Structure formats: structure tokens, C-alpha cells
Amino acid sequence: MLTHFIGGLPVAVGKAFPVHDPVTGALARQVHEADPEIVDRAVRAAREAARDWAALPVGERAGWMRRLAEGIEARFDDLVAAEIADTGKPLDQTRTLDIPRGIANFRAFADIAAQRPDDAFHLSGLLSYTVRRPLGVVAVIVPWNLPFLLMTWKLAPALVAGNTVVVKPSEQTPGSAAVFAEICADAGLPPGVVNIIFGYGSAGQLLVEHPGVDAVTFTGSTRTGSAIMRTVADRVTPISFELGGKNAGVIFEDCDLDRAVEGTVKSVFTNGGQVCLCTERLYVHRSIFEEFCARLAVRAQEIEPQPMISAEHREKVLSYYALARSEGAKVLTGGSVPVFGDHRDSGYFVEPTVVTGLSEWSRFNREEIFGPVCHVAPFDSEAEAIDLANGSDYGLAATVWTTSLDRAHRVAQRLEAGLVWVNTWYLRDLRTPFGGVKLSGIGREGGTRSLDFYSEPTTITIKLEQPDA
Ligand code: 6OD
């Protein structure tokens, strides 16, 4: 049974809750559920550790981040196994993306923090400079789609900036966080610097409303994000949110069609479409629309389906497939549940699906589905494509496929999204600002933006007396 990790120790308190294997639907593990007392213990442990951790020179904290990266390398196979057990992700993706990004996150933020200069401003007779202080205890609330990647993406900058943390992974994906707790303990990380509690959204709610929490970082749905905002509003707690997306892909007639099809296959279907950056709305120039649709549909049929995270999430995705049919969409491929004839038939799979013919105002084209599915629509001009792509309440990511350099810049700069990839998708430089506009989030993390969020500057201004001439 998985236990909480508080003050450097496993804590086996709380009733058990089940985690199911998405591939088969079978019970995979039991986990202790945090109650109010456990949440309080975790926040107190983090507060007790906060002063000494913040007092360490940044170079020493960076050294701890590098030791954690080494710990992840040493437990690589255990982390891969834990992540796959909870999510049903493909082995190859887990080995090349999810777990390596944990290592990269700790190394990148160690380097960025250790090398970061402080600000200094000189103005006749005045010298001002800033010192940055950590916020204190950060609540880190992690979703189920990229559990280890996103936990470490938040932990590394929060810790290196001098904060202590209480992490609440998704109830569906506690496994890699439990292995990470062992890595922290084995590395000898000071007790209380990292605390991990397990439970449902109710445990997350207890955590963010705890008065000992100084900041909240969250990746997940817009609905949960706005509930957290309401909870912390009275205490004016700093928040950093990366929320939902309804990301557009714009495919111009001058694109390299092979690259555009393959890149779009990745951007729609990676992780079963369960990445907030996945493309769900495609706009394709009318002159290549039929060919693009046909090729995308063929490639979608070749994809190995990946399970949805839960039976409930599968029902949600299937409800959009039904909606598309009820509104008269043309289903180019998929639209149903695959039949394997083996143990996977009791898992949470849906078919990779491509549809056309729906109105831009359909809920199918306006709401985040978070499954292996996209809608494809034609456009006639660059201006129309930009309007269509921007016609969303969300603004996280977009892709543009063109061989024209001018067009690439022109269009990318007019798209209302925090992230635009041109002729590629989800290639990351961890130093860049990362986050969304509109309903897709508040704030940016990444590089020094993360360190800015996880610390606050104090400006010190000194009047310099001028010697008499
Ligand atoms: O790659 C990242 O750093 C990141 N924050 C990815 C977020 C994916 C959301 O599903």
C-alpha cells in the first residue's frame, strides 16, 4: 500500500483508496488517503523545514537538485514501471519523455538558479538592487496525464528557489511520486523539504485552503483552476496555473505535406491525446484539404490505441464522439471503442478519431475533449485561418505548418496562444516561458519565469552621498 511521505518518513495513515490499471481495468494498487490531519502534518513539516532550506546558499540547493537527478537516474526503471502501471503509457514514450524530463528538470533549474544574477540599478546618487526570497511552503498539485514530468517541472524550480513543498499527485497516478519519495529519503534530503500526500481532489482542496500554504502551482482543468482561485482569493495567495487547451493546428498549402501529416499525428494522438498541448482543431487550406484528411485518417488507423486514464474519462471522450455523430459529423476514422479480443477489452480504450463537418460553435469544437481526436475544417485565406484558430476561449498552444519563413513568423505572431510551434510540436527548451492565455492559465513557468514565480524580490535602495566638489 502506498504511504504519504511527511518529514522525511513514510506515513501509513488514512483509509485505502484504489488505483486501477487503465489497460485492463483491474485493481492495480491501494493508497492511503490524506485526511485533514495528514494535510496539516504535511504543511507543518514543510514549514518547519522552510527556514533552514531557505538559508542554504543557492549553490548548495542546486547541488541537492543534481543529487535528486542522479537518484532518478538510479531508479529509472522503477519510475518507468510505476508510471506505466498507473497510466498505461507506451514504454517507449515513458523511457524517452516522461522520466528523462524529470532528470532534465532538476538539472536545468539547478543551472539556471545557480547562474542567475541579481538585478542592480544605478541612477545618479541612488543604488538599488534586489534580493529574492522564497515564498515559503508551496502546494504542488499535479495532474494524471504526465505525472512525473509535471511534478518535477514544478518541484525543481520551487525547491531550488528555496521553498519547501507539499505535493498532491492525482489520485489516479500516485506511483512515480511514491518512488520519488524514496529517492528523496535515500539522497538524505533534509526532512520536510519535500512532502507528498495522496488523495482525491478533496485532499487538494484541504491543502490549498490550509493557512500554512504560501503559494499554489497547479496544472489541470480550467474548472479546478478557478475553484482553487476562489479558495485562495481571501488570502491573496500567489498562484501559477497551466490549464486546459483547445489547441489549433493550421496547415497551409505550402507545407511539406509528409511532415505536416506526421507532425499532426503526433500532436493529436500522443499520450492518447491526453496532453494539454495536443491539437484538437485542425484548419487545412482547401486546396489540400481532401488529401490531408485522407492521409491523416489512414495514419490514425495505424496508431496503437492508448487507454484513457479512467472509465469515467473514457465515458467523457465517448460522449463527444456521440455528440459529433448526433450533429451530423463525417467520421473519417474511429468514433468507437476498439475490440482487441484480449485482456485490453476490459480497459479504458477509445479509437483514435478524426471528424469533419461540424460547426465552429459545436461543443465538440469549443470544449477540451482530452482524447485521441480532432476535427478538421477547411479555410481559404491566411486571415481566415488565423481568425478560426483564435476563435476559442482557450489559448495554450498552436501549431503552424508552412515552408514560407515570412508566413511562419506572420501567422505565429498573430495567434492567441502562449506557445506556437512551427513545423513541429512539443519540442521544449526549458528556459523558455511556458503557459497559456485566456482560459488556458495564469502566469508563465519555465527558465527564470519559474524562479520569478517561486520567489519574491525585495528592492533595496541606498542614497549615495556625493562628496563636495
Ligand atoms: O513540458 C512541459 O514543461 C509542460 N509543462 C507540459 C505540460 C503538459 C500538459 O499537459
Side-chain angles (χ1 to χ4, degrees), residues 6 38 65 68 93 114 147 151 154 210 223 249 253 279-280 289 293 311 320 334 373 387-388 392 441:
I6 300 177
I38 284 295
M65 299 305 103
L68 291 177
Q93 179 196 310
M151 177 179 76
K154 294 169 177 303
H210 194 294
R223 189 148 49 100
E253 67 281 16
T279 309
E280 293 193 358
F289 181 75
C293 287
Y320 285 95
V373 55
D387 283 348
L388 286 165
S392 170

Side-chain angles (χ1 to χ4, degrees), residues 30 41 166 175 177 282 307 320:
Q30 303 264 19
R41 265 173 79 173
V166 180
L282 283 168
Y320 285 95

Side-chain angles (χ1 to χ4, degrees), residues 101 145-146 149-150 153 242 275-276 426 428 434:
R101 258 298 297 278
N145 61 333
L146 301 170
L149 185 158
L150 286 171
W153 168 246
E242 190 196 320
V275 180
C276 54
Y426 199 17
R428 296 280 285 112
F434 192 99

Side-chain angles (χ1 to χ4, degrees), residues 219-424:
T219 295
S221 72
T222 301
R223 189 148 49 100
T224 305
S226 60
I228 294 175
M229 277 177 95
R230 282 193 290 275
T231 302
V232 303
D234 284 346
R235 285 187 292 117
V236 202
T237 303
I239 49 170
S240 175
F241 287 173
E242 190 196 320
L243 305 176
K246 188 73 188 173
N247 308 306
V250 183
I251 294 138
F252 287 100
E253 67 281 16
D254 59 8
C255 71
D256 173 334
L257 198 55
D258 292 341
R259 271 179 83 184
V261 171
E262 282 315 302
T264 302
V265 166
K266 277 200 187 125
S267 81
V268 174
F269 300 114
T270 295
N271 211 43
Q274 301 167 114
V275 180
C276 54
L277 310 161
C278 277
T279 309
E280 293 193 358
R281 297 179 297 135
L282 283 168
Y283 302 105
V284 182
H285 191 265
R286 198 177 296 279
S287 63
I288 57 168
F289 181 75
E290 294 301 333
E291 185 180 358
F292 183 89
C293 287
R295 290 178 62 170
L296 184 64
V298 168
R299 288 289 292 111
Q301 284 156 23
E302 292 165 0
I303 286 174
E304 192 62 44
Q306 184 181 325
M308 302 295 92
I309 192 66
S310 63
E312 189 191 5
H313 186 54
R314 179 171 80 157
E315 285 317 304
K316 176 185 160 189
V317 174
L318 289 174
S319 78
Y320 285 95
Y321 290 8
L323 174 71
R325 274 194 301 273
S326 74
E327 293 186 352
K330 185 168 168 194
V331 180
L332 299 180
T333 187
S336 187
V337 171
V339 178
F340 300 102
D342 58 27
H343 60 287
R344 290 172 293 175
D345 286 341
S346 52
Y348 308 143
F349 292 86
V350 297
E351 286 179 337
T353 294
V354 180
V355 306
T356 67
L358 291 174
S359 145
E360 285 301 301
W361 291 102
S362 166
R363 285 199 300 111
F364 192 98
N365 277 326
R366 303 208 68 80
E367 298 174 2
E368 183 181 50
I369 301 175
F370 222 60
V373 55
C374 63
H375 180 266
V376 199
F379 68 83
D380 293 298
S381 70
E382 187 177 299
E384 185 193 4
I386 292 169
D387 283 348
L388 286 165
N390 288 343
S392 170
D393 296 331
Y394 292 96
L396 185 55
T399 55
V400 178
W401 299 89
T402 176
T403 51
S404 157
L405 189 60
D406 288 344
R407 172 173 267 165
H409 288 289
R410 200 167 56 230
V411 174
Q413 290 174 22
R414 289 186 57 197
L415 289 177
E416 294 165 2
L419 306 153
V420 179
W421 279 288
V422 177
N423 295 331
T424 187

